[in-house]
Amino acid sequence: MIYIGNRETMPTRDRTIHEIYANELSNLSEEEQLRLAALILNNLTRKETSNREVSYSDTWTEEDMQDIASFSLQNGAVSYEAEESDR
C-alpha cells in the first residue's frame, strides 16, 4: 500500500520500507532502479503464477481504485514539490 501523510504516523513496516528506499534505493541511477523493479516484479510474477491461478478480470476492485487514486495523489504531490523547488 502506498502511504500519504505524516511519516511519524506511518505503520512501522511502511516506515521501514520508506527508510530503505530513502537511504539505499534513491541513490541508485534510474537504470539501476528500473532493473531492481524488474527483478522484483518478475519474482512476484513467478510466485503469483505458481501459487494460484491468475485472474484476468476486466473489472477493477474497490482496492484497485483506492490504490491508483493513492498513487496518483502521491505522484502529483511529489511532482508539485519538485516543480516548486525548481523555481
Side-chain angles (χ1 to χ4, degrees):
M1 176 174 186
I2 299 170
Y3 185 82
I4 300 174
N6 185 337
R7 187 161 179 214
E8 285 75 35
T9 61
M10 271 189 212
T12 303
R13 183 179 192 126
D14 290 340
R15 188 173 30 239
T16 302
I17 292 168
H18 191 80
E19 289 169 355
I20 290 170
Y21 179 80
N23 295 331
E24 302 295 332
L25 303 179
S26 64
N27 295 324
L28 298 175
S29 70
E30 286 183 12
E31 181 181 345
E32 291 169 321
Q33 289 183 32
L34 287 171
R35 287 178 54 209
L36 179 59
L39 285 171
I40 292 169
L41 293 173
N42 286 336
N43 185 42
L44 290 173
T45 302
R46 276 193 296 278
K47 286 181 183 178
E48 186 70 26
T49 55
S50 66
N51 291 340
R52 63 186 168 125
E53 188 175 320
V54 176
S55 171
Y56 292 101
S57 173
D58 288 337
T59 59
W60 287 38
T61 66
E62 184 68 26
E63 183 181 7
D64 293 335
M65 291 186 283
Q66 288 174 352
D67 286 346
I68 193 68
S70 178
F71 173 78
S72 296
L73 289 170
Q74 184 177 26
N75 188 49
V78 169
S79 297
Y80 179 77
E81 287 175 11
E83 188 176 305
E84 287 296 310
S85 67
D86 289 343
R87 290 182 183 185

